[in-house]
């Protein structure tokens, strides 16, 4: 069973090794570790993708982490996107392969690349809000159900979004882009139950949306 763990730890030599040892001793099989953020306060945030046997509860990992000095678990959840972490370069290769589908393809790889549960692309067509692309688990967009959705097309930069009542317990972020023909597009991503989006993640999201928008052909 795949899980994704976000953990804060001292940004010093040996910390990551101690974390890996603690998780392994608790029964976890670590598939990948990615550094999400280095902080000025001497802390780092890491995402750990791991497999747990059915006999081991996720709480066991939290206990193992908190036994290490200076380590704090921010979030742990089932990782529905699978066990392969897709890096930014791989995502770029995906959406540049067919420029006519750049935006749609970016949305499809968003869950793996950005550790989100779903993603969708919004634009304007015939003076109405339209969905330009969506990952398989993305919710349906209707202005009646999500009245603030139209305002997401006016974003100036990547940002977190306020809660949507219809999508309870989903943390949202979005980034705007500009297609070659001048039309605007906004990519919205959601995480069920968190964690909150970091500033570094928003910057990555904005950069990726800008790239895909510039590649997209009519």
């Amino acid at each position: 069973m795949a899980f994704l763990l976000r953990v804060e730890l001292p940004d010093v030599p040996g910390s990551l090794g101690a974390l890996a040892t603690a998780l392994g001793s608790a029964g976890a099989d670590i598939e990948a570790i990615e550094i999400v953020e280095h902080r000025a306060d001497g802390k780092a945030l890491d995402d750990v993708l791991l497999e747990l046997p059915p006999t081991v509860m996720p709480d066991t990992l939290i206990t193992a982490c908190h036994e290490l000095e200076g380590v704090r678990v921010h979030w742990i959840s089932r990782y529905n996107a699978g066990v392969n972490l897709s890096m930014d370069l791989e995502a770029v290769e995906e959406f540049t392969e067919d420029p006519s589908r750049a935006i749609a393809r970016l949305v499809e790889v968003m869950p793996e690349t950005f550790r989100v549960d779903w993603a969708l692309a919004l634009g304007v067509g015939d003076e109405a809000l339209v969905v330009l692309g969506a990952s398989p688990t993305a919710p349906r967009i209707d202005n009646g159900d999500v009245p603030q959705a139209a305002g997401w097309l006016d974003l100036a930069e990547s940002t977190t979004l306020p809660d949507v009542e219809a999508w309870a317990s989903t943390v949202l972020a979005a980034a705007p882009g500009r297609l070659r023909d001048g039309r605007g597009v906004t990519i919205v991503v959601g995480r069920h139950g968190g964690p909150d989006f970091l500033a570094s993640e928003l910057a990555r999201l904005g950069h990726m949306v800008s790239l895909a928008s510039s590649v997209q052909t009519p």
Side-chain angles (χ1 to χ4, degrees), residues 65-82:
C65 289
H66 287 172
E67 288 178 350
L68 300 174
E69 184 176 356
V71 175
R72 181 166 69 92
V73 174
H74 282 225
W75 180 67
I76 185 170
S77 177
R78 286 284 304 275
Y79 189 60
N80 296 325

Side-chain angles (χ1 to χ4, degrees), residues 6 36-37 110 114 116 155 157-161 171-176 187 189 191 195-210:
R6 174 162 292 178
V36 178
E37 187 173 74
M110 276 286 181
F114 286 89
V116 295
L155 299 176
E157 59 185 9
S158 55
T159 183
T160 56
L161 297 175
V171 179
L172 302 171
I187 304 292
V189 294
R191 283 175 174 158
D196 292 336
F197 288 93
L198 303 171
S200 58
E201 292 180 298
L202 294 176
R204 285 179 60 221
L205 179 62
H207 179 63
M208 199 64 68
V209 173
S210 178

